[in-house]
Amino acid sequence: MAGFDVHLDAELTRRPFDQALGHAADLATGQVLHGLGGVDGTVAEAMRYAVAGGKGLRAFLVIESARLHGILDAHAAPCAGAIEALHAYSLIHDDLPSMDDDDLRRGQPTVHVKWDEATAILAGDALQTLAFELLAHAGCPDAARVALIAGLAGAAGVRGMVGGQAMDIAAETASQPLTLEQISVLQAGKTGALIEWAATAGPVMAGADAGPLRRYARDLGLAFQIVDDILDVEGDVATVGKAVGKDAGAGKATFVSLLGLEQAKARAGALVDSACDALTPYGDDAETLRDAARFVIARKS
Amino acid sequence: MAGFDVHLDAELTRRPFDQALGHAADLATGQVLHGLGGVDGTVAEAMRYAVAGGKGLRAFLVIESARLHGILDAHAAPCAGAIEALHAYSLIHDDLPSMDDDDLRRGQPTVHVKWDEATAILAGDALQTLAFELLAHAGCPDAARVALIAGLAGAAGVRGMVGGQAMDIAAETASQPLTLEQISVLQAGKTGALIEWAATAGPVMAGADAGPLRRYARDLGLAFQIVDDILDVEGDVATVGKAVGKDAGAGKATFVSLLGLEQAKARAGALVDSACDALTPYGDDAETLRDAARFVIARKS
């Protein structure tokens, strides 16, 4: 396969954040639709439905981190599709009645509500599979593909996302609420690991140092989750697009319940500043990623 | 990584089928346990439980097909672990109440019965992830690893195993039973695709022609499923280790209901002969794989 050379051409110039987000989401959705090809039936339909609703933040991180390393969107697009497919799978399964039991996601019925539980389980299963299938076709050398796959598996598995979700479920029946440190570990697995994978996909594809983007991603991921907890308290269901007030109602420990609303907001703000600082080696080229970090605390959904 | 050279040494000599099966199952379980490392908690425990009960037929196919191409067991072991992890994930999810709703598997309580549904969903999810993680560490060049990963994703996803399971569930509420051709397509996805991946893992690792082993696997996979349908009619629950008589009780079309018991047995026998013939290019070296094919129709569970 040709085309792994670095092209710092017009396509790699900076775009505004919202435009870049929409562009990345479109690239990711396109990859998933292409990966599903002409497959019909309920499960494939549910897979398309689940991916189409995504904002594309993780795809955006992939595409922007790739640009910073001179990788064209077309070469990074399979990675953007993979992370959105993986994320969609995790949401479908988390929403199931035996897990978080949510009826609404991004303002739409969740997959098991729109179809049924069997369809939701299978659609999630096949979206996870599709994520790894797309990575096997990423536009980079085989060694980088293997590194992307090993990295995503580590981030998604029992040491990462699934481990975080298992801790979350266990906490619901635990005798005492989680501590701040335990919640931080839980969220690093449940949300942080995939964000970190996405933001470091560019240097991994390029075989470059992933350190600065890893630091950016860790701060961003934690800020993102703190804001989620703030939205659960302050948001309204129409804007947020999913049920709110669930955590407080369930007496669940969150960053807000442990830190208080004001200190949680201050912590999120400090993390965003730190995330932006981590990008210093990239200079102005990383300004769109800094905009994304600022958006994370300004968002309403 | 070193050690990809062909070593036709003592380790690659022929062993009896039952011994080879046990050896492959042990290798696969070892890989899964190693992959899980010291992770504790309910989900990791459920993952170990689900993999430990396996007979290891798919791992055996991996190890034997690798031997035929001069690949040492230690190099093929991650592939054996991957296919057993993937198979275990599929069984855990298939057994869920919203899917086949089975309480018993290999003579033991299914994962959602022993723990709960959330644990079963997460353990299955993380076993699928682990399968791809193990393949990223297979003892072969990166190009072969990528081919193994792309192949397993194709076999497991909506065009393969998940697609077959979706057809199976849809058939339960369809107005008329499936035809022989439809059942063959369903089983090629649900069971056949993973068996084919396993039996061709050796040539894929070696970058060799997978044709003969692919033909062997297609015949073997179909014979395997016909025998499953025969056992559902003729077997008893204690020997088979899972519920029997379910398909007939549900008025479900099976190879037995469509062909009749005697013709189903004759078809399975002919497929096994054909599977053995496909191995002719390997001569006597493939005798253990021929034994496996003969075992498939002689088995009682």
Side-chain angles (χ1 to χ4, degrees), chain A residues 228-275:
Chain A
D228 247 21
D229 288 352
I230 294 170
L231 288 173
D232 188 65
V233 175
E234 288 197 328
D236 62 90
V237 64
T239 312
V240 177
K242 62 181 178 183
V244 296
K246 277 190 70 172
D247 297 340
K252 198 168 159 181
T254 69
F255 288 107
V256 172
S257 74
L258 289 164
L259 293 170
L261 196 53
E262 288 317 305
Q263 216 193 315
K265 287 181 182 177
R267 178 76 66 102
L271 284 164
V272 165
D273 289 344
S274 171

Side-chain angles (χ1 to χ4, degrees), chain A residues 35 89 93 125 128-129 153 159, chain B residues 35 89 93 125 128-129 153 159:
Chain A
Y89 126 65
H93 283 193
D125 287 345
Q128 176 171 197
T129 316
R159 280 189 188 79
Chain B
Y89 126 65
H93 283 191
D125 287 346
Q128 175 171 197
T129 316
R159 280 189 189 78

